[in-house]
Structures are given as structure tokens and as C-alpha cells.
Amino acid sequence: MSVVNFLFPPSVFVAATSLASCTSLAISGLSEIRGKNLQYSKFFGVGSQSSAAAADSKVKLSSRLGMVMVYTPAFLAGVSSFFIFPDEDFRFLLLKSAISIHFFKRIFESLFVHKYSGEMALDTVIVVLLSYFTSSVFMIIAQHLTMGQPEPQIDLKNPGILLFLAGIIGNFYHHCLLSKLRSKGAKEYKIPKGGLFEFVVCPHYLFEALAFWGFAFISQTLYSFSYALGTTFYLMGRSYATKRWYLSKFEDFPKGLKAMIPFLF
């Protein structure tokens, strides 16, 4: 089966940004496996390149503020696309809606669901903010560039909607389970239980990846598929690092759990 059956033909710009996005995210995932972790959540001040002294020298924000800052520009990109490109087709409407809904959900969770225990380095906020923002903008631009082109022979919009909904619902559910582990004001970590936590260390990452594959199936552009693949590679690396962290902190942590994908990884 040729890729032309399910992708819009990419321009040189879309092909170049697709390669850059997937490659940079895959490298970031490999860095997580190697212990060079982005400085947020349980990895703040951890890693071969970030001693406690180095972390103390960084400009720091509360995790709640940092995560709201991370997601807000991407949300605004999704919302503004309704006004910048008001008369596009149904596929484009679905993509704009999915991007806006996803990042609104992440802002909502950051404000009202998550119970944070630490801080976040400002340089990490900027890196992750730019990644989400530029990827959202490039997904929107790539979709705009398909206007006037013939539709792919295989329509993946409906599977994409299902993947996206499964992704955001599953992600939200497991975030709620994580939130219930802590009482108000508590900062200690506990071993997560319930849902797919019985099978993998980071089911919330699995469902986040599914949401991005929903973007890809809805959009059917090379950029959206490349970004979903790169995001999956990064989250696999982060989940591997998270499993290693839990094993180092809890003697009774189940060693047989996979990191992100049940029975596989």
C-alpha cells in the first residue's frame, strides 16, 4: 500500500519540518533513556547533567505555573486558527477542534487536577512550550497547505476521532488516579494503582500518544504523522526513565511492569 493512499502529498516545507520534528523528539526520547532528563516532575534536579547544585542555580517556577505556561500557547494557536482560517473544510475543522480541546484539557488538569510536589526549571518550560506551540502551528499550516488537493484514497477521519477521544479520556482518567494518590499539601510519591497502572508504569503517556495519533489520522498530513511518531518515541523514553526511577525508590515496585505499552514495552 502506497503512502499516497492515506497521506496528502507533502510540500518541501512540510517534508523538511516533518523530518526535523520527528528526529528531534526521537533524540529527546533517547536522552531520557540515557538519563539526561527534562527537568520537571520527579526528574527536577536529577540526572547526570543536573546535580542538585545545578538545579538550585536555575530560574525556577512552581510546577503548576510552569505547566500552564507550557500548554497555553499551543491552546491559543488552536483557537486562533478558527479565526485565521475560518472557511476551511470539515477535516480542518476537526483538527483545529482536536488541538484546542487537547490543550484546553491539559491546562484544566494543570490548574485543577494535578497535585504537584516540586518546581520546574524555566529553561525546561521554554523548551517544552516551544515544542508544543511550534508543532501545533506546523500541523495547522500543513493542513492549510492541503486545501485544493484531492482527498487521500483512504479516509482516516473517523478512526482518528475515535483514537483522539480514547486518548484524551484515558489520559484524563489516569491523571485522576495519580491525583488521588496525594492528599492536599502532600508531596510524597506512591506506587500508582488501578486502571492500566496494573500493566504499565505510564498509561497516561500511552493515552497521550494515542491522542496525537488521533491528530495524525484526522489530519492525514506527513507532518502530523511524523509528529505523532516522534512524540511516541519521546514518551517511550520518558516512561522508561520513569520506570527506572520507581525501581530505584521503591523496593516493592513490580519489576515485571512494562514502561508504556502493555506486554510490549
Side-chain angles (χ1 to χ4, degrees), residues 132-150:
Y132 280 133
F133 175 70
T134 56
S135 65
S136 299
V137 170
F138 285 146
M139 274 195 286
I140 291 165
I141 292 173
Q143 202 65 42
H144 174 67
L145 293 175
T146 67
M147 295 300 100
Q149 294 185 16

mmCIF file of all heavy atoms in Angstrom, residues 132-150:
data_model
loop_
_atom_site.group_PDB
_atom_site.id
_atom_site.type_symbol
_atom_site.label_atom_id
_atom_site.label_comp_id
_atom_site.label_asym_id
_atom_site.label_seq_id
_atom_site.Cartn_x
_atom_site.Cartn_y
_atom_site.Cartn_z
ATOM 1 N N TYR A 132 5.508 22.212 21.892
ATOM 2 C CA TYR A 132 4.056 22.079 21.711
ATOM 3 C C TYR A 132 3.512 23.176 20.783
ATOM 4 O O TYR A 132 2.661 22.912 19.921
ATOM 5 C CB TYR A 132 3.342 22.144 23.058
ATOM 6 C CG TYR A 132 3.363 20.859 23.840
ATOM 7 C CD1 TYR A 132 3.688 20.859 25.194
ATOM 8 C CD2 TYR A 132 3.043 19.653 23.242
ATOM 9 C CE1 TYR A 132 3.702 19.683 25.927
ATOM 10 C CE2 TYR A 132 3.052 18.468 23.969
ATOM 11 C CZ TYR A 132 3.388 18.484 25.304
ATOM 12 O OH TYR A 132 3.401 17.322 26.031
ATOM 13 N N PHE A 133 3.987 24.397 20.976
ATOM 14 C CA PHE A 133 3.468 25.511 20.182
ATOM 15 C C PHE A 133 3.830 25.352 18.699
ATOM 16 O O PHE A 133 2.965 25.457 17.826
ATOM 17 C CB PHE A 133 4.005 26.829 20.721
ATOM 18 C CG PHE A 133 3.617 28.025 19.895
ATOM 19 C CD1 PHE A 133 2.307 28.471 19.857
ATOM 20 C CD2 PHE A 133 4.570 28.709 19.149
ATOM 21 C CE1 PHE A 133 1.937 29.563 19.084
ATOM 22 C CE2 PHE A 133 4.214 29.807 18.376
ATOM 23 C CZ PHE A 133 2.897 30.233 18.341
ATOM 24 N N THR A 134 5.109 25.111 18.424
ATOM 25 C CA THR A 134 5.518 25.009 17.018
ATOM 26 C C THR A 134 4.878 23.806 16.342
ATOM 27 O O THR A 134 4.478 23.885 15.169
ATOM 28 C CB THR A 134 7.045 24.925 16.894
ATOM 29 O OG1 THR A 134 7.536 23.816 17.672
ATOM 30 C CG2 THR A 134 7.704 26.202 17.364
ATOM 31 N N SER A 135 4.743 22.704 17.073
ATOM 32 C CA SER A 135 4.119 21.528 16.456
ATOM 33 C C SER A 135 2.652 21.798 16.125
ATOM 34 O O SER A 135 2.156 21.384 15.069
ATOM 35 C CB SER A 135 4.236 20.314 17.376
ATOM 36 O OG SER A 135 3.497 20.505 18.570
ATOM 37 N N SER A 136 1.959 22.505 17.010
ATOM 38 C CA SER A 136 0.560 22.841 16.746
ATOM 39 C C SER A 136 0.448 23.770 15.535
ATOM 40 O O SER A 136 -0.398 23.572 14.655
ATOM 41 C CB SER A 136 -0.070 23.496 17.973
ATOM 42 O OG SER A 136 -0.050 22.620 19.075
ATOM 43 N N VAL A 137 1.321 24.769 15.487
ATOM 44 C CA VAL A 137 1.325 25.703 14.352
ATOM 45 C C VAL A 137 1.630 24.973 13.051
ATOM 46 O O VAL A 137 0.956 25.169 12.030
ATOM 47 C CB VAL A 137 2.337 26.838 14.592
ATOM 48 C CG1 VAL A 137 2.536 27.663 13.327
ATOM 49 C CG2 VAL A 137 1.856 27.734 15.726
ATOM 50 N N PHE A 138 2.634 24.097 13.068
ATOM 51 C CA PHE A 138 3.011 23.385 11.845
ATOM 52 C C PHE A 138 1.937 22.391 11.411
ATOM 53 O O PHE A 138 1.737 22.175 10.212
ATOM 54 C CB PHE A 138 4.348 22.674 12.037
ATOM 55 C CG PHE A 138 5.538 23.606 12.003
ATOM 56 C CD1 PHE A 138 6.651 23.355 12.788
ATOM 57 C CD2 PHE A 138 5.549 24.737 11.200
ATOM 58 C CE1 PHE A 138 7.742 24.204 12.777
ATOM 59 C CE2 PHE A 138 6.632 25.595 11.177
ATOM 60 C CZ PHE A 138 7.735 25.328 11.961
ATOM 61 N N MET A 139 1.238 21.778 12.371
ATOM 62 C CA MET A 139 0.119 20.910 11.993
ATOM 63 C C MET A 139 -0.965 21.718 11.280
ATOM 64 O O MET A 139 -1.544 21.268 10.280
ATOM 65 C CB MET A 139 -0.469 20.218 13.229
ATOM 66 C CG MET A 139 0.224 18.939 13.605
ATOM 67 S SD MET A 139 -0.710 17.923 14.771
ATOM 68 C CE MET A 139 -0.485 18.853 16.293
ATOM 69 N N ILE A 140 -1.235 22.898 11.811
ATOM 70 C CA ILE A 140 -2.257 23.754 11.218
ATOM 71 C C ILE A 140 -1.821 24.245 9.835
ATOM 72 O O ILE A 140 -2.603 24.217 8.874
ATOM 73 C CB ILE A 140 -2.548 24.937 12.160
ATOM 74 C CG1 ILE A 140 -3.261 24.431 13.432
ATOM 75 C CG2 ILE A 140 -3.391 26.004 11.468
ATOM 76 C CD1 ILE A 140 -3.275 25.433 14.566
ATOM 77 N N ILE A 141 -0.565 24.673 9.712
ATOM 78 C CA ILE A 141 -0.063 25.134 8.414
ATOM 79 C C ILE A 141 -0.075 24.001 7.396
ATOM 80 O O ILE A 141 -0.493 24.183 6.236
ATOM 81 C CB ILE A 141 1.351 25.715 8.566
ATOM 82 C CG1 ILE A 141 1.302 27.020 9.365
ATOM 83 C CG2 ILE A 141 1.988 25.963 7.189
ATOM 84 C CD1 ILE A 141 2.670 27.578 9.704
ATOM 85 N N ALA A 142 0.395 22.817 7.809
ATOM 86 C CA ALA A 142 0.417 21.673 6.902
ATOM 87 C C ALA A 142 -0.987 21.337 6.408
ATOM 88 O O ALA A 142 -1.185 20.996 5.232
ATOM 89 C CB ALA A 142 1.042 20.459 7.590
ATOM 90 N N GLN A 143 -1.971 21.473 7.307
ATOM 91 C CA GLN A 143 -3.353 21.200 6.896
ATOM 92 C C GLN A 143 -3.842 22.263 5.917
ATOM 93 O O GLN A 143 -4.517 21.950 4.929
ATOM 94 C CB GLN A 143 -4.256 21.149 8.123
ATOM 95 C CG GLN A 143 -5.549 20.390 7.903
ATOM 96 C CD GLN A 143 -5.281 18.921 7.643
ATOM 97 O OE1 GLN A 143 -4.454 18.316 8.296
ATOM 98 N NE2 GLN A 143 -5.984 18.359 6.680
ATOM 99 N N HIS A 144 -3.503 23.511 6.183
ATOM 100 C CA HIS A 144 -3.912 24.587 5.282
ATOM 101 C C HIS A 144 -3.344 24.370 3.880
ATOM 102 O O HIS A 144 -4.023 24.655 2.875
ATOM 103 C CB HIS A 144 -3.447 25.929 5.840
ATOM 104 C CG HIS A 144 -3.696 27.083 4.927
ATOM 105 N ND1 HIS A 144 -4.969 27.527 4.600
ATOM 106 C CD2 HIS A 144 -2.835 27.898 4.238
ATOM 107 C CE1 HIS A 144 -4.884 28.547 3.769
ATOM 108 N NE2 HIS A 144 -3.599 28.787 3.530
ATOM 109 N N LEU A 145 -2.127 23.855 3.807
ATOM 110 C CA LEU A 145 -1.487 23.641 2.505
ATOM 111 C C LEU A 145 -2.124 22.515 1.708
ATOM 112 O O LEU A 145 -1.840 22.362 0.510
ATOM 113 C CB LEU A 145 0.006 23.358 2.702
ATOM 114 C CG LEU A 145 0.839 24.530 3.241
ATOM 115 C CD1 LEU A 145 2.277 24.095 3.506
ATOM 116 C CD2 LEU A 145 0.807 25.711 2.273
ATOM 117 N N THR A 146 -2.980 21.725 2.344
ATOM 118 C CA THR A 146 -3.676 20.657 1.599
ATOM 119 C C THR A 146 -4.929 21.165 0.903
ATOM 120 O O THR A 146 -5.535 20.423 0.113
ATOM 121 C CB THR A 146 -4.084 19.500 2.539
ATOM 122 O OG1 THR A 146 -5.101 19.953 3.457
ATOM 123 C CG2 THR A 146 -2.890 18.966 3.311
ATOM 124 N N MET A 147 -5.344 22.378 1.204
ATOM 125 C CA MET A 147 -6.581 22.896 0.617
ATOM 126 C C MET A 147 -6.456 22.914 -0.902
ATOM 127 O O MET A 147 -5.484 23.396 -1.470
ATOM 128 C CB MET A 147 -6.881 24.298 1.141
ATOM 129 C CG MET A 147 -7.182 24.361 2.639
ATOM 130 S SD MET A 147 -8.622 23.374 3.153
ATOM 131 C CE MET A 147 -7.825 21.905 3.796
ATOM 132 N N GLY A 148 -7.453 22.385 -1.565
ATOM 133 C CA GLY A 148 -7.458 22.308 -3.021
ATOM 134 C C GLY A 148 -6.876 21.022 -3.568
ATOM 135 O O GLY A 148 -6.997 20.745 -4.770
ATOM 136 N N GLN A 149 -6.226 20.229 -2.708
ATOM 137 C CA GLN A 149 -5.686 18.940 -3.155
ATOM 138 C C GLN A 149 -6.761 17.859 -3.079
ATOM 139 O O GLN A 149 -7.678 17.944 -2.261
ATOM 140 C CB GLN A 149 -4.489 18.528 -2.289
ATOM 141 C CG GLN A 149 -3.270 19.420 -2.404
ATOM 142 C CD GLN A 149 -2.098 18.869 -1.608
ATOM 143 O OE1 GLN A 149 -2.081 17.703 -1.219
ATOM 144 N NE2 GLN A 149 -1.112 19.718 -1.359
ATOM 145 N N PRO A 150 -6.642 16.825 -3.902
ATOM 146 C CA PRO A 150 -7.587 15.699 -3.799
ATOM 147 C C PRO A 150 -7.453 15.004 -2.451
ATOM 148 O O PRO A 150 -6.360 14.912 -1.894
ATOM 149 C CB PRO A 150 -7.143 14.762 -4.939
ATOM 150 C CG PRO A 150 -6.333 15.606 -5.860
ATOM 151 C CD PRO A 150 -5.687 16.663 -5.010
#
